[in-house]
Amino acid sequence: RAKSAGGNRFELADPEADARAITRHGLTTALPTALDRGEFFIEYQPLVHLGDGTVHGAEALVRWLHPQHGVLGPDRFIPLAERTGLIVPLGRWVLEEAVRQARSWQERHDRSGPLRINVNLSPCQLTHPGLVADTVAILEQAGLEPDALCLEVTESALIGADDSLLKPLRRLAEMGVDIALDDFGTGYSNLANLRRLPVRVLKLDRSFTQSMQQYPADPVDLKIVEGIVSLAHSLDLAVTVEGVETGAQAEQLRILGCDTAQGWYYARPGPPERLHELSLLDATG
Ligand code: C2E
Ligand code: MG
Ligand code: MG
Ligand code: MG
């Protein structure tokens, strides 16, 4: 198939782009009913204290077991779910599942301190009027303390956020729910803005962790991370790092003062039972 590109010039259609469009179309029609068909599932990735390696909690990461395409990562369908509005019921389902899972870990391990559960929130969920009420109901139903929950919001979702957007986050924060700023350092970080946000945790983007891979690490990146950590701590914020893949990175980030870490070096995202297998849960419990 060739399509006219104006005038007498012709452009061959890109077969790969066509295949992508077809896939996209297939996903678009299957997505709205996938929730009812029970095709979504959650993998959990532990968050570890950099100081002693004990588990601090886990992040819930949604996947779609598509009948034809197999397991699809969130990058394949979250943008679509956001455009179609499915993200609201899907996000609520993830929260419900993850909170229930966290409660069951706690019961099983009888920990003194709470095992935390991190759940990602999309910008559409922030503007949805049911966010606070749904979250309260989900926590109550599962019997999980609000301070065991951390909601991750990307920095870009809060750029230029006015009070109407921040109000539900403030309400949740007042209840004891932690708010984390995800992928921190990738957007147009306005550090002065941080004071205005009800945020307790900065999740430093993987790009910083990646630059710790070289030895010696890029001195400018080291300075930047050092600066972010010291600013965060002076504002009483904790710093989590994503994408830690090597022991050397973990050590470097620990020296730089980061609090918790997440990455393949500790564990890939996996089924909830994996947290038991890691037997990391028992380290403090
Ligand atoms: P995120 O919240 O920044 O999650 C971290 C991503 O980094 C995850 O990708 C995780 O699997 C990956 N990761 C963890 N450790 C490593 C590592 O050591 N190396 C590398 N290369 N990658 C690592 P994933 O699971 O594909 O999720 C991608 C994004 O999709 C998430 O980024 C989050 O923004 C979004 N997402 C996932 N689940 C949900 C959800 O339930 N709701 C919403 N709204 N978004 C979600
Ligand atoms: Mg996240
Ligand atoms: Mg992140
Ligand atoms: Mg990320």
Side-chain angles (χ1 to χ4, degrees), residues 45 59 62-63 74 120 122 182-183 206 242-243 245 263-264 269:
Q45 187 178 35
E59 179 174 10
V62 69
R63 279 92 179 82
N120 293 283
S122 110
D182 206 350
D183 301 341
R206 193 163 77 220
E242 334 180 285
E245 293 179 0
W264 297 346

Side-chain angles (χ1 to χ4, degrees), residues 50 209 212 225 241 244 249-258:
L50 273 167
T209 315
M212 305 288 147
V225 173
V241 287
V244 175
Q249 287 173 329
E251 181 56 12
Q252 185 66 262
L253 291 157
R254 189 188 64 77
I255 290 167
L256 288 169
C258 299

Side-chain angles (χ1 to χ4, degrees), residues 204 224-234 237 239 256-259:
L204 210 54
I224 291 173
V225 173
E226 214 175 355
I228 291 175
V229 171
S230 92
L231 176 81
H233 285 168
S234 71
L237 306 178
V239 179
L256 288 169
C258 299
D259 303 291

Side-chain angles (χ1 to χ4, degrees), residues 8-154:
N8 57 1
R9 294 188 304 121
F10 286 88
E11 228 175 57
L12 281 176
D14 173 3
E16 266 187 44
D18 277 354
R20 278 197 301 270
I22 289 163
T23 306
R24 206 156 47 226
H25 179 70
L27 296 187
T28 311
T29 49
L31 190 65
T33 47
L35 192 55
D36 290 335
R37 284 195 306 270
E39 290 174 1
F40 294 106
F41 65 100
I42 301 176
E43 289 193 320
Y44 296 89
Q45 187 178 35
L47 271 92
V48 172
H49 290 288
L50 273 167
D52 59 8
T54 57
V55 168
H56 173 72
E59 179 174 10
L61 297 159
V62 69
R63 279 92 179 82
W64 179 8
L65 181 56
H66 189 284
Q68 277 91 48
H69 303 295
V71 175
L72 302 175
D75 293 334
R76 296 286 301 281
F77 61 87
I78 291 286
L80 206 60
E82 285 174 342
R83 281 202 298 279
T84 55
L86 185 79
I87 192 68
V88 170
L90 175 59
R92 198 188 296 125
W93 178 81
V94 171
L95 186 63
E96 218 173 327
E97 276 291 306
V99 161
R100 199 165 36 215
Q101 184 57 59
R103 180 67 195 135
S104 105
W105 281 327
Q106 291 194 345
E107 277 168 351
R108 184 153 157 190
H109 287 271
D110 189 29
R111 293 182 22 137
S112 40
L115 177 78
R116 319 187 50 82
I117 184 74
N118 285 36
V119 178
N120 293 283
L121 272 197
S122 110
C124 316
Q125 290 173 272
L126 278 183
T127 50
H128 189 265
L131 176 67
V132 176
D134 284 352
T135 307
V136 170
I138 286 169
L139 287 168
E140 273 175 2
Q141 199 172 7
L144 192 77
E145 296 300 321
D147 61 9
L149 175 65
C150 177
L151 295 173
E152 301 191 0
V153 183
T154 59

